[in-house]
Structures are given as C-alpha cells and as structure tokens.
Amino acid sequence: MVKISSTAVSHKRLAREMIKLVKKGITNAYAPYSSIPVSAGLYCKDGEIFTGVNIENSSYSLSMCAERVALFKAVASGQRNFLLLLLYSPKIDFILPCGACLQTLCEFSPELVIATMNTNEEFKFYPLKTLIKRPFRL
Ligand code: THU
C-alpha cells in the first residue's frame, strides 16, 4: 500500500519541479496558425529535464508537436529513459498528446507517465500505456 501512494507522490513531485520551466517555455512556442501554444517537459531517469514547444509551419502538416520536440532533443543528447512528461497549454486545460506523439514516446519508455496541467496548476496523470493500448511494433 505504501508503494502505490509513494509512486503517485513522486510523479507529482517531478511534475511540480517542472512547472516553472514548462510555463516559461510557452513564450517560445511558434503557433501563428492554430494560436494554440503548447509546452512540454520531459524528465529523464538521471534527473535531466528537456523542454519542447510546438513549432508550426505555413505548410500545416509540417508542424511539430511540443512532445516530440522535447523527446527528440533528449534522445539526440543521449537520453533513452524517461520518467515523466508534463504538458501544458494556456488554451486547452489538461491537453493530451496526439497519437503520433504517443507512438514515438512508446518507442523509448512504455512505462512513461504523462502529466497534464490546467492554468491553476492542477494535474492529471495518465500512464502512457492507458493512452495507447496497442502501439505499432516491428
Ligand atoms: N499540439 C501539440 O504540440 N501537442 C499536443 O499534445 C497536441 C497538439 C500542437 C500541434 C499544433 O501546433 C497545435 O497544437 C494545434 O493542434
């Protein structure tokens, strides 16, 4: 019983640690087409944190989500193991990753927990596995 609550508390602690960074990141989001800025923070197993924002393009389908920017920055820096992803948009309370981001996150950390936040800094937590039940695998 202690184990379950201590896991929950630690995810909340990691999410809290990233609030400032993720909120600050919103100013770097490039979202002139949707007007929906999104910011993400990815907490690595060794404690390092990578941030990402959405980056849109006039050729709409080339736009990139905040989650994948954070993930690709982390992987390109040598990270492979992730504990928690925190997501935030001032326009959408408790925003969740799209299917493409869920699939790319699964590649590295199927045990990842997704934290999402509203403007009052309240959290919801979802294990990645519950958001994508049958990821594509070779
Ligand atoms: N977007 C993200 O960055 N992450 C999500 O979780 C969902 C959507 C971006 C893509 C696009 O720039 C804008 O939000 C509106 O869809």
Side-chain angles (χ1 to χ4, degrees):
M1 41 88 191
V2 176
K3 211 174 180 188
I4 290 166
S5 66
S6 74
T7 305
V9 165
S10 102
H11 285 133
K12 203 165 186 177
R13 184 176 61 76
L14 300 185
R16 280 211 186 106
E17 257 186 65
M18 289 195 288
I19 291 177
K20 264 193 185 163
L21 212 55
V22 167
K23 276 195 152 176
K24 194 174 158 217
I26 276 294
T27 56
N28 294 330
Y30 180 72
Y33 305 107
S34 72
S35 296
I36 298 173
V38 183
S39 179
L42 189 59
Y43 206 107
C44 305
K45 209 172 176 183
D46 68 0
E48 203 173 356
I49 295 169
F50 287 83
T51 56
V53 293
N54 55 333
I55 304 169
E56 298 184 346
N57 193 277
S58 55
S59 177
Y60 296 167
S61 65
L62 299 181
S63 299
M64 183 51 65
C65 294
E67 297 91 318
R68 272 177 288 164
V69 171
L71 177 68
F72 294 164
K73 277 170 69 179
V75 173
S77 299
Q79 297 287 352
R80 294 287 187 278
N81 295 297
F82 309 107
L83 297 177
L84 189 90
L85 177 88
L86 174 63
L87 267 184
Y88 172 67
S89 172
K91 292 289 182 69
I92 301 177
D93 279 349
F94 303 117
I95 189 169
L96 285 172
C98 72
C101 289
L102 294 174
Q103 174 70 32
T104 51
L105 290 164
C106 269
E107 182 76 21
F108 295 98
S109 286
E111 301 302 323
L112 185 73
V113 171
I114 313 287
T116 181
M117 193 168 80
N118 64 6
T119 45
N120 294 328
E121 300 181 0
E122 293 161 325
F123 298 116
K124 288 184 182 178
F125 295 91
Y126 300 90
L128 176 58
K129 277 181 177 169
T130 66
L131 299 178
I132 178 165
K133 293 207 170 83
R134 300 272 185 276
F136 175 74
R137 293 251 181 265
L138 286 174

